[in-house]
Amino acid sequence: MKDFFKTSSFRVLIIAVVVLLGLIIYTATAGGSFLANLLGFATSPMQSIATDVTGNVTEFLDLDGYTKDELKDLVGALQEENAQLEDQLVGYEELQQENEQLKTQLGLEEEEPENELRSASVIGRDPNDVFYGFSIDAGTLSGVSVGDPVITDQGLVGVVTQAYATSSKVTCLLSEDVHVAAWSPKRQESGVIESDVTSASTGVLRLNYLSGDTQIQEGDIIATSGEGGAFPQGLKIGTVARVEKSENDISRYAEIQPFEDLTKVQEVYVVVDFPGKGEGAPQEEPEASAPSEEDPE
């Protein structure tokens, strides 16, 4: 320990203490001016930056130089500019959405180039419809007519049952009123896609009228067969979740999980024309009318 007091480190410590005491005494006698100058030297660059920024802001918007009416005009101008920017943003988002729709439509048309499509958006839903029907913003002026299939990039979702000039009503695939000729391309077996209140409540479909010895299995893809001319061939519907015996204990049915969430459809495409449309369909007029004088309010 005694050797420490003789080391150079101890001498440096003593010198530092002496210098510090000297600074304290000098600062006290000089009224703190020396310490203030020292701190000022260290902080002056930051003060300069802050002063420049404040000056620029004041030059840009000197509120003290404005009258009350001028301030009101300024606020109004800023609000108008903000509204214009918001409109531009909305327009940009709409263009972006339209671009995505066109890209999807192009992809669908490349898959089935002979199908003619019209893009549309869901604009309303009937809260009392337990089968999740909806309205779209495309109608007869766009070539849409009653009976046209409605799809998304995931598959079939419904059929047009009422068509107006600029809007249409679509009955969802979950409805008990919709029947679709379908098949398993892998197994080469056909049936009819149907639904009821019970299956609709769980968002699933039934492929009915399968034979008792059907080879259709869980995981098989189900698509439209094109029979009857109501739907084009090859529209995806869903996959087999399970196969069960029908109520008559003779035939079987398959429970189908749709590719698309049929309860939350937002953007769709109407297939207004396709090869074989109407071939084999009954000649009588459909029950649903297609008024064209004016759209419902």
Side-chain angles (χ1 to χ4, degrees):
M1 185 68 181
K2 294 180 180 180
D3 293 337
F4 172 76
F5 294 105
K6 297 178 181 180
T7 61
S8 57
S9 298
F10 178 72
R11 295 191 186 95
V12 172
L13 179 61
I14 293 298
I15 293 172
V17 171
V18 171
V19 172
L20 181 59
L21 289 173
L23 285 173
I24 293 173
I25 295 171
Y26 181 81
T27 300
T29 57
S33 59
F34 174 77
L35 183 59
N37 289 335
L38 184 63
L39 293 174
F41 174 77
T43 59
S44 59
M46 294 302 297
Q47 290 177 335
S48 177
I49 293 173
T51 300
D52 290 343
V53 173
T54 304
N56 290 336
V57 173
T58 303
E59 182 180 354
F60 173 72
L61 186 60
D62 185 6
L63 296 179
D64 293 336
Y66 283 79
T67 65
K68 184 176 181 181
D69 291 337
E70 288 174 336
L71 286 174
K72 287 183 178 179
D73 293 340
L74 177 61
V75 170
L78 291 174
Q79 289 176 336
E80 182 177 355
E81 182 178 357
N82 183 60
Q84 291 175 352
L85 291 174
E86 289 177 345
D87 290 340
Q88 292 176 6
L89 180 60
V90 171
Y92 170 75
E93 291 176 345
E94 289 177 346
L95 286 174
Q96 194 173 33
Q97 182 178 4
E98 183 178 351
N99 183 51
E100 290 299 323
Q101 286 182 310
L102 290 173
K103 285 167 61 179
T104 302
Q105 180 173 341
L106 178 61
L108 291 171
E109 289 176 341
E110 287 177 346
E111 291 179 4
E112 299 291 341
E114 296 179 330
N115 292 345
E116 187 176 348
L117 308 180
R118 297 288 185 273
S119 62
S121 298
V122 175
I123 56 175
R125 295 181 185 277
D126 183 356
N128 297 318
D129 185 355
V130 297
F131 298 115
Y132 302 97
F134 51 88
S135 298
I136 58 175
D137 60 355
T140 56
L141 293 179
S142 300
V144 176
S145 59
V146 171
D148 287 346
V150 180
I151 66 174
T152 69
D153 58 336
Q154 298 299 313
L156 182 66
V157 297
V159 60
V160 175
T161 49
Q162 292 184 34
Y164 305 93
T166 59
S167 67
S168 301
K169 288 187 176 181
V170 177
T171 298
C172 181
L173 200 58
L174 291 170
S175 172
E176 58 188 3
D177 295 326
V178 176
H179 309 278
V180 182
W183 75 322
S184 165
K186 183 177 181 179
R187 311 295 176 183
Q188 299 288 299
E189 292 187 44
S190 300
V192 177
I193 288 290
E194 297 177 329
S195 186
D196 54 30
V197 174
T198 302
S199 58
S201 64
T202 58
V204 298
L205 304 165
R206 284 180 55 157
L207 179 63
N208 289 327
Y209 311 115
L210 299 176
S211 64
D213 58 350
T214 178
Q215 299 301 306
I216 288 179
Q217 300 176 12
E218 180 181 343
D220 286 350
I221 293 175
I222 302 301
T224 55
S225 66
E227 295 181 12
F231 299 88
Q233 183 179 12
L235 296 180
K236 297 180 296 183
I237 297 176
T239 57
V240 176
R242 60 177 182 170
V243 179
E244 299 287 344
K245 285 186 177 181
S246 298
E247 289 76 6
N248 59 22
D249 203 31
I250 299 175
S251 63
R252 291 179 176 267
Y253 72 90
E255 195 172 272
I256 308 301
Q257 182 63 53
F259 286 117
E260 182 69 81
D261 185 346
L262 300 175
T263 68
K264 298 179 180 179
V265 177
Q266 293 296 328
E267 303 297 331
V268 300
Y269 301 90
V270 182
V271 186
V272 298
D273 196 17
F274 55 89
K277 182 177 182 180
E279 293 181 3
Q283 298 301 313
E284 63 268 15
E285 292 294 326
E287 293 182 4
S289 61
S292 57
E293 295 182 359
E294 59 180 14
D295 293 351
E297 296 182 357

